[in-house]
Amino acid sequence: MKRALIYVLISMTLLVFSCGREDSPAGIDKNGDISSKNETTTETITVIESRDYEVKKGDSLWDISEEIYKDAERWTSILSLNPQIKDPDLIYPGQKIKIEVEVTKTVEKKVDGGVTKHYGDAIIIGSIGDASNLIPMLASDSASHEVAGFIYNGLVKYDKDYNIVGDLASSWEISKDNLTFIFHLRDDVKWQDGKPFTAADVMFTYKLMIDEKTPTAYAGKYLLVKEAKAPDPYTFTVTYSEPLAPALISWGALQPLPKHILEGVDITKSELARKPLGTGPYKFIEWKTGEKIVLTSNHDYFEGRPYIDRIIYRIIPDTATMFLELKAGGVDWMGLSPIQYERQTDDESFKKSFKKYEYLADAYSYLGFNLDNPKFKDKRVRKAISYAIDKQEIIDVVLLGLGEIATGPYKPGTWQYNPNVERYDYDLKKAKELLKEAGWEDTDGDGLVDKDGVPFEFTIITNQGNDLRAKSAEIIQKRLAEVGITVKIRIIEWAAFLSEFVSTRNYEAMILGWNILQDPDLFNVWHSSETGPDELNHVNFRNDEVDRLLEEGRRVFDQEERKKYYFRIQEILADEAPYVFLYVPDALPVVHARFHGIEPAPAGISYNFNEWYVPEGMMKYTNLK
Amino acid sequence: MARYTLKRLIMMIPILFGITIISFAVIHLAPGEPTDLATSLNPDVTPEAKEKMRKLYGLDKPVHVQYYNWIKRIVVLDFGNSFAPDRRPVIDKIKETIPITISINILSILLIMAVAIPIGIYSATHQNSFFDKAATVFVFIGFAVPTFWLALLMMRWFGIQLEWLPISGVKSVMYDYLSPMGKVWDVAKHLLMPVVLSAFGGLAGLSRYMRSNMLEVIRQDYITTARAKGLPERVVIYKHAMRNALMPVITILGLSVPGLIGGSVIFESIFSIYGMGRLFYASVLSRDYPVVMGILVIGAVLTLIGNLLADVSYGLTDPRIRRG
C-alpha cells in the first residue's frame, strides 16, 4: 500500500514536471520566426563601390569597365570618373582613375553567426533625464528627442555614413537655382492608428511650426521658406528666397504630426505630448513620469517590423546607480564614462555579458577667449596659450586617452574636416617667445609675465556638473603657470552661467563644448553678425573673410565645392585661435551581449536599431503581452 | 479654545502671504530664466524664438505683475501649468510625486521608532555595558558616513553580489505581469534599501536622545519609589519610566512632519525614485517657477497646519497657553 502510494506520488510529480517543461519557454513568439534555423538565403543587392584603376596601354573606356566589372555578377552604371574624363579618347597609359560604379550582386543573406533572426524581447535603455514632451517641436531636451525619434519620421534622414537619404520622402528634386525642393513622399506610410500619411500632414506640421502661437524654439529655418505647397497627396514642395545648403536636412528635423488628430486643437494642450502617435517603427504604450517610457514595435512599419518588440526607457538620474543597474541586469544599453569604460568594465564576466563600443562622438570641447577683452585682443597671446596647453595631456588624464585632439570645429574623418591646419602641439618655448613678442615678459623676476607692470592673470569659467571641464581647467591652470600666466577657475551653476556670463559676455575665458552637426554650416557660431547678447558667437569673433565664406558656403550645394569654403574657414580659425580647440571625446556606449546585429559606423550604433535582434535562446523578456 | 484656534487660523493668512512674496522674489532673483535653458546654445534657436517663448510664458512682464497674476490664480487654488516643455498642470506633478515621498518617510520614521527606542532604552538601562558602547560607536558611524556612499555600497552588496534586492526604482520592469502578491512583494523589496538607508541617520540621533531621556527619568524619585514598592524591573522600566521618557521624543517626531513632504533629493536620485525631492530640485535647476512655487506653498501650508495642531494640543493640555 505504502509502496503504491510512493509510485503514485513519483509519477504525479513527473507528470507535473513534464507539463511544466512544455510550457516553460512561455510566450516566445513562435510566429516571429522569419526563417528556419541554419538556413541561408540569397538576395540581390545594389551597392556603390569605388575602384581604382591604372590605365594600361591600348585601353579604351570600354576595356576599363570590362576589367572593373569582371568580378561582379552584374553592373548597372558608371556613376563618376575622377578625374572627370569628358572625351573617352583622352585617357593615357599610366593615368590613375578612380571610378564609382553601381554594381548589382547576389549575396548570401547574412545570418549572424548561423543564428536566425527572431522577433521579440525588450531592450532597457538607461537615461539620465526624463523626457518632457513627446511632440518633437515643443521639446528642447535630448531625452524627448531620442524617444520621439523612435515614434516619428522626418522627410529625410542621415544614413550610417551621414549621407542624406529619404525617410518619409522616397526621393526629392532640387531646382536648378537651388531654391525649390520637391519632395516625393512614400505612398505606403500609415499613421499608427491606421490612417494614411499624406502631404497634407507635412503641410499642417510646417504651418504649425511657423505659427506664432506654437511655443517652439525651432521655427528659425522654416521661417526662411517663401512658399510651401502640397500639390497632390504625395508631393510637398518648398521654395526659399535664397539658396540654403542646410535646408534639405532641416526637413529631417521636421517630423510630421498627424493632422487628423491635431487639427483645431491647441498644440500646447494636445494629448500627443504625453501619448504620441507617429509613423515610426515604435508605438507608444505608457509613460510613468520620472520612472519609465515604454514603446512597442509597429508591425505595420513601412520599412518592416523591427525585431526588438519592446523599448523601455528607464530614467535613472544618477550615473553610478545606472552603472550598477547595468551590472545587475536592470539596464541593457547606456553610455559609459571614460573611467567606467577603462577601469570598471575590464573584467572577464563583464566582457562576457556586454559589448563595449568606442568611436568619436559628435562633440568637441574648447577654451574660448572673450576677444573683446584687451588681454586676448592680440593673436600672438592666444597662440601662445594654445602652445602652452598640452591637449594630449588633457585627453590622457581627463578622458583616459579616449578621445582625439580637436583642431577645429569639425570631427576628424568627416568630409568637411581639414587635416592640414596649423596645429598647436605643446611647446613651452614657442609659447614664451610669442608672449614676449606680444609684450608679456617677466620683468620683475617673480616668475609671472607682466606688461606695463600688470601681471597676466585671467579667470576661466565653466559650468557646474561637468567634471571633465573642471578637470581640464585645472590642467590648463597648471600648464599656463609654467609660462607665467596666473589662471583662476570659477565653476558656475548652469542657468546662472548662461544668463549672467555667457549671454552677457561677462567673462574672460571659458571652457565649453559644442555638438558637431553633420552639415558644416556654422553661420550662427562664427559670423560677426551673431555677436549680440544671446547669440552664439559668444567669443565675439569678427573676421571679414570668414563672414564671406560662411555666407557663400551655405549657398553652395555641391559637396566638393562646399569643402573649399569650410577648409579655408578652418585654416583661418586655426590661425586666429579664438578658441583653443581641446578634444573630441569618444562616445562609449555599452549594450548587452544578447543583442545582435549591431554594426558600428561613422553615425554610431543606433542607426540600424530596427535590425537589432536577440537570438531565440538568449531572449530575456519572453512573456510580453 | 475655539477663539484661540480661530485667532491662530486668521494669523496664518498674512504669514502665508509673506512666505509667498519672499519665495517668489527669491526664485526670481536667481539668475537665469526657464527659457534660457530650453533655448540657449542651440544653433537652431533664434533670439526671436526665445523672445517669443518669454512672451508666451508671461516672463516679459515686470515681476510684480507676474506675482499678481500668480496670486490671482492661487487664491482659487489654480497652481497653473509647469514651464517645462510638458506644460502640465503643477498640481498633477505634485500629486504624482507626493505619495511615494510620504510613504518612504513614514516607513522610515516607523522603522526609526521601532529600532531606536528599544536601543535607547537598553543602552540606558545597561549603561556602560558592551552593548551601550557598541551602540555609541554605531551612532557615530551613523552620523559620519555619507549616505550616498553607504547607498552605493549596499546596492553593490545586496543588488549585484548577493542579488537579493533590486537596485533602484520602486517597481521592477515586469511589474505589470506579476500576481497581486507578487506586486506587493516586488514593491516591498524595492523599498527596503531606501527606507533602511533613510532611517539610518535618524536612527542614530533618536536612539541617543531616547537613551539620555531614559537615563534622566530612571534617576527620578518616583522610579525609586516604584522599585521600593517591589515592582518587577520590567514594569518599572516599560510602564513608568518609558512613558515619560517618550514624551520629548514624540515632540521631536512631530516636528519632523513637515519634512515628510520635503523628500530627499539624494535618496530619490540615487534610488531613481520620482518623489517630491527630485521634482523640486529639477524645478529649481530649470527655473520652473510655477512648480517651485506650488511645492513651496503646499509645504508652507502643511508646516503652518502642523504648528497649529501642536499649539492647539499644547493648549488643550496646558490652560496657561490658552489664556496667554
Side-chain angles (χ1 to χ4, degrees):
Chain A
M1 184 63 198
K2 217 175 181 181
R3 191 171 285 175
L5 203 71
I6 289 170
Y7 278 128
V8 170
L9 270 175
I10 290 174
S11 52
M12 273 179 73
T13 318
L14 283 174
L15 195 73
V16 167
F17 266 101
S18 61
C19 288
R21 275 277 158 77
E22 227 166 27
D23 292 333
S24 62
I28 286 180
D29 191 357
K30 291 269 197 281
N31 302 329
D33 207 335
I34 56 159
S35 59
S36 62
K37 238 175 195 165
N38 298 325
E39 193 182 271
T40 44
T41 51
T42 53
E43 72 172 337
T44 311
I45 55 161
T46 306
V47 288
I48 294 167
E49 289 183 353
S50 177
R51 296 179 179 193
D52 292 305
Y53 185 77
E54 190 173 337
V55 179
K56 290 191 281 288
K57 206 172 173 188
D59 267 348
S60 68
L61 266 185
W62 177 250
D63 297 328
I64 296 170
S65 21
E66 284 252 293
E67 173 73 19
I68 279 177
Y69 296 130
K70 71 181 176 196
D71 60 331
E73 292 192 30
R74 201 166 77 89
W75 57 271
T76 322
S77 63
I78 292 183
L79 294 178
S80 65
L81 289 165
N82 191 15
Q84 283 283 329
I85 300 158
K86 296 213 171 70
D87 183 348
D89 296 323
L90 279 183
I91 52 171
Y92 53 88
Q95 186 185 15
K96 286 191 174 103
I97 307 176
K98 204 177 198 59
I99 304 178
E100 270 199 338
V101 290
E102 200 174 63
V103 190
T104 310
K105 289 175 166 177
T106 306
V107 291
E108 248 181 26
K109 198 170 179 184
K110 288 249 170 176
V111 185
D112 201 69
V115 189
T116 319
K117 276 190 174 187
H118 279 271
Y119 294 109
D121 211 358
I123 187 164
I124 304 175
I125 305 175
S127 170
I128 293 266
D130 196 2
S132 58
N133 192 319
L134 293 178
I135 297 178
M137 67 170 77
L138 300 186
S140 50
D141 56 299
S142 57
S144 301
H145 286 287
E146 209 176 304
V147 177
F150 287 110
I151 300 165
Y152 295 98
N153 296 92
L155 296 191
V156 292
K157 66 179 179 188
Y158 283 116
D159 71 358
K160 65 179 183 143
D161 296 313
Y162 287 130
N163 302 309
I164 300 178
V165 295
D167 196 0
L168 288 172
S170 53
S171 63
W172 59 89
E173 294 155 41
I174 302 172
S175 67
K176 275 194 181 142
D177 57 4
N178 287 340
L179 291 174
T180 304
F181 295 69
I182 303 164
F183 294 99
H184 301 289
L185 306 180
R186 293 179 72 123
D187 57 5
D188 56 348
V189 181
K190 282 197 166 68
W191 290 103
Q192 287 162 357
D193 60 359
K195 298 261 173 16
F197 159 81
T198 66
D201 294 304
V202 186
M203 192 68 180
F204 172 77
T205 312
Y206 158 73
K207 282 189 177 154
L208 202 61
M209 180 67 104
I210 56 167
D211 189 341
E212 257 303 294
K213 289 196 283 296
T214 308
T216 176
Y218 303 115
K221 279 210 177 92
Y222 309 98
L223 288 166
L224 301 173
V225 173
K226 200 171 73 181
E227 193 184 17
K229 277 192 271 187
D232 66 67
Y234 298 106
T235 311
F236 178 69
T237 68
V238 281
T239 308
Y240 290 80
S241 41
E242 273 180 58
L244 184 68
L248 179 59
I249 196 59
S250 75
W251 293 95
L254 186 106
Q255 295 168 316
L257 299 168
K259 182 184 174 190
H260 62 279
I261 293 181
L262 276 172
E263 200 166 30
V265 178
D266 176 359
I267 188 163
T268 59
K269 297 193 176 97
S270 162
E271 266 211 333
L272 288 188
R274 303 277 306 174
K275 286 183 190 151
L277 184 133
T279 51
Y282 283 86
K283 295 195 276 191
F284 174 82
I285 298 189
E286 70 163 335
W287 179 357
K288 293 222 166 104
T289 314
E291 197 183 312
K292 63 176 180 182
I293 298 174
V294 185
L295 311 176
T296 186
S297 63
N298 176 5
H299 294 203
D300 303 322
Y301 186 50
F302 57 84
E303 281 185 340
R305 173 183 167 184
Y307 289 100
I308 294 171
D309 271 354
R310 197 69 50 101
I311 298 176
I312 301 164
Y313 259 83
R314 273 195 69 187
I315 295 108
I316 303 175
D318 186 86
T319 46
T321 308
M322 201 194 287
F323 184 60
L324 290 175
E325 274 287 7
L326 179 89
K327 284 190 154 183
V331 165
D332 293 320
W333 179 7
M334 70 177 276
L336 295 177
S337 68
I339 195 149
Q340 288 168 340
Y341 186 91
E342 276 292 304
R343 310 253 167 90
Q344 296 168 352
T345 52
D346 216 22
D347 52 300
E348 281 311 308
S349 71
F350 190 90
K351 282 181 190 160
K352 228 184 260 171
S353 314
F354 293 95
K355 283 188 206 146
K356 294 194 278 181
Y357 299 89
E358 179 198 345
Y359 47 87
L360 280 185
D362 293 319
Y364 70 91
S365 285
Y366 63 88
L367 170 74
F369 302 109
N370 185 346
L371 301 179
D372 284 352
N373 187 305
K375 285 177 202 165
F376 302 113
K377 276 223 151 79
D378 191 330
K379 179 162 102 177
R380 288 171 297 188
V381 172
R382 305 195 295 264
K383 284 187 162 192
I385 294 176
S386 304
Y387 277 120
I389 298 171
D390 188 352
K391 271 80 69 183
Q392 192 56 47
E393 180 188 25
I394 296 179
I395 292 170
D396 290 343
V397 173
V398 176
L399 302 175
L400 303 176
L402 298 165
E404 263 186 47
I405 295 177
T407 56
Y410 303 117
K411 189 162 97 165
T414 51
W415 65 267
Q416 57 263 52
Y417 176 77
N418 182 349
N420 300 318
V421 299
E422 191 175 348
R423 292 174 75 99
Y424 296 92
D425 296 330
Y426 176 59
D427 192 335
L428 274 185
K429 216 175 117 209
K430 260 193 192 162
K432 283 181 183 160
E433 274 169 22
L434 280 164
L435 279 175
K436 200 172 173 186
E437 270 177 43
W440 292 96
E441 235 182 314
D442 182 11
T443 51
D444 49 8
D446 64 350
L448 304 174
V449 293
D450 49 76
K451 189 179 179 179
D452 307 325
V454 185
F456 196 158
E457 61 173 45
F458 68 94
T459 305
I460 295 177
I461 60 166
T462 191
N463 64 297
Q464 193 189 39
N466 190 320
D467 208 26
L468 304 181
R469 288 179 192 159
K471 283 183 188 157
S472 305
E474 284 169 28
I475 294 172
I476 291 172
Q477 182 182 45
K478 179 177 155 265
R479 285 294 170 200
L480 291 186
E482 287 177 354
V483 291
I485 299 174
T486 310
V487 172
K488 289 180 191 151
I489 300 169
R490 260 188 90 179
I491 293 169
I492 302 151
E493 188 253 0
W494 184 240
F497 177 78
L498 291 176
S499 64
E500 299 295 292
F501 298 91
V502 178
S503 35
T504 52
R505 314 292 193 256
N506 175 26
Y507 72 93
E508 294 179 303
M510 68 172 152
I511 297 182
L512 210 60
W514 282 119
N515 281 337
I516 301 173
L517 305 176
Q518 300 332 312
D519 190 274
D521 180 33
L522 293 172
F523 189 90
N524 302 3
V525 179
W526 294 107
H527 198 273
S528 58
S529 65
E530 301 289 316
T531 49
D534 281 345
E535 288 175 328
L536 297 182
N537 185 349
H538 38 234
V539 291
N540 296 330
F541 178 74
R542 298 178 190 87
N543 181 299
D544 292 341
E545 193 184 350
V546 169
D547 283 357
R548 190 177 53 76
L549 291 164
L550 284 169
E551 284 157 25
E552 284 170 16
R554 60 182 358 201
R555 291 165 175 269
V556 179
F557 280 58
D558 179 65
Q559 186 167 308
E560 282 303 309
E561 189 69 22
R562 274 190 100 186
K563 206 163 145 177
K564 291 179 196 155
Y565 292 91
Y566 295 101
F567 266 41
R568 177 73 193 126
I569 288 175
Q570 286 169 79
E571 283 166 16
I572 300 170
L573 287 181
D575 179 54
E576 288 288 326
Y579 286 179
V580 180
F581 292 98
L582 297 174
Y583 56 79
V584 180
D586 277 343
L588 305 166
V590 58
V591 187
H592 195 276
R594 72 178 191 276
F595 296 97
H596 287 59
I598 305 173
E599 287 162 13
I605 57 167
S606 52
Y607 69 92
N608 72 336
F609 181 79
N610 296 352
E611 297 295 321
W612 293 16
Y613 67 96
V614 180
E616 192 176 17
M618 296 170 107
M619 291 202 186
K620 189 172 172 188
Y621 304 99
T622 49
N623 56 345
L624 299 169
K625 276 176 239 163
Chain B
M1 189 64 202
R3 221 178 120 223
Y4 170 74
T5 313
L6 192 73
K7 211 169 97 185
R8 286 297 312 266
L9 264 176
I10 291 169
M11 274 288 286
M12 271 169 65
I13 294 167
I15 294 174
L16 198 61
F17 189 66
I19 291 173
T20 62
I21 289 186
I22 294 170
S23 310
F24 203 86
V26 168
I27 58 167
H28 279 81
L29 276 177
E33 281 187 348
T35 49
D36 286 343
L37 292 138
T39 57
S40 286
L41 300 187
N42 188 335
D44 288 337
V45 179
T46 56
E48 293 80 45
K50 192 174 166 181
E51 204 43 50
K52 185 180 90 178
M53 288 179 67
R54 290 190 74 228
K55 217 177 207 164
L56 286 168
Y57 286 147
L59 294 167
D60 54 335
K61 298 190 182 87
V63 176
H64 63 271
V65 179
Q66 290 183 45
Y67 178 73
Y68 175 72
N69 290 337
W70 178 80
I71 202 97
K72 228 168 42 182
R73 283 201 314 266
I74 210 79
V75 287
V76 289
L77 290 181
D78 173 9
F79 285 79
N81 287 339
S82 163
F83 280 172
D86 59 8
R87 308 280 288 138
R88 294 172 66 214
V90 172
I91 201 74
D92 283 1
K93 288 190 157 189
I94 294 176
K95 265 196 267 178
E96 242 166 37
T97 51
I98 218 167
I100 186 71
T101 302
I102 290 189
S103 320
I104 290 184
N105 278 299
I106 288 182
L107 285 172
S108 92
I109 286 183
L110 290 177
L111 184 69
I112 290 174
M113 284 176 26
V115 178
I117 292 172
I119 290 181
I121 294 171
Y122 193 83
S123 294
T125 51
H126 300 75
Q127 205 186 349
N128 295 327
S129 66
F130 172 75
F131 179 86
D132 185 29
K133 283 176 185 156
T136 310
V137 173
F138 178 71
V139 162
F140 279 114
I141 292 173
F143 273 129
V145 170
T147 340
F148 71 91
W149 180 75
L150 197 63
L152 290 175
L153 276 190
M154 278 177 71
M155 284 155 112
R156 210 182 124 88
W157 179 247
F158 293 111
I160 295 179
Q161 279 163 340
L162 297 172
E163 293 182 11
W164 287 352
L165 295 173
I167 288 174
S168 65
V170 275
K171 288 172 194 165
S172 51
V173 171
M174 306 307 276
Y175 179 81
D176 295 340
Y177 299 91
L178 296 172
S179 64
M181 267 320 283
K183 284 182 181 175
V184 173
W185 178 233
D186 186 58
V187 173
K189 274 203 305 191
H190 276 88
L191 286 182
L192 193 63
M193 268 202 282
V195 168
V196 167
L197 269 169
S198 68
F200 192 67
L203 195 73
L206 199 77
S207 66
R208 285 287 94 177
Y209 202 65
M210 187 69 208
R211 177 181 179 270
S212 61
N213 279 340
M214 196 69 186
L215 280 176
E216 210 169 286
V217 171
I218 52 178
R219 288 188 195 118
Q220 302 278 326
D221 290 348
Y222 70 90
I223 298 293
T224 318
T225 314
R227 283 196 176 124
K229 278 199 307 187
L231 283 177
E233 186 63 12
R234 208 166 43 85
V235 178
V236 175
I237 298 295
Y238 293 104
K239 200 168 172 199
H240 296 274
M242 195 177 93
R243 277 193 189 171
N244 285 299
L246 268 181
M247 288 302 284
V249 171
I250 288 167
T251 314
I252 288 187
L253 286 177
L255 286 177
S256 67
V257 169
L260 283 184
I261 61 130
S264 158
V265 181
I266 297 175
F267 277 110
E268 289 173 3
S269 300
I270 289 187
F271 288 104
S272 310
I273 294 166
Y274 187 56
M276 289 275 277
R278 238 172 89 190
L279 176 66
F280 187 68
Y281 184 64
S283 307
V284 169
L285 286 189
S286 62
R287 308 288 188 267
D288 190 346
Y289 303 144
V291 176
V292 174
M293 285 306 291
I295 295 177
L296 285 176
V297 166
I298 291 179
V301 168
L302 287 179
T303 311
L304 289 175
I305 289 174
N307 278 349
L308 178 73
L309 287 178
D311 287 353
V312 169
S313 44
Y314 280 142
L316 285 175
T317 49
D318 190 344
R320 285 173 301 179
I321 293 172
R322 250 177 288 164
R323 287 192 212 102

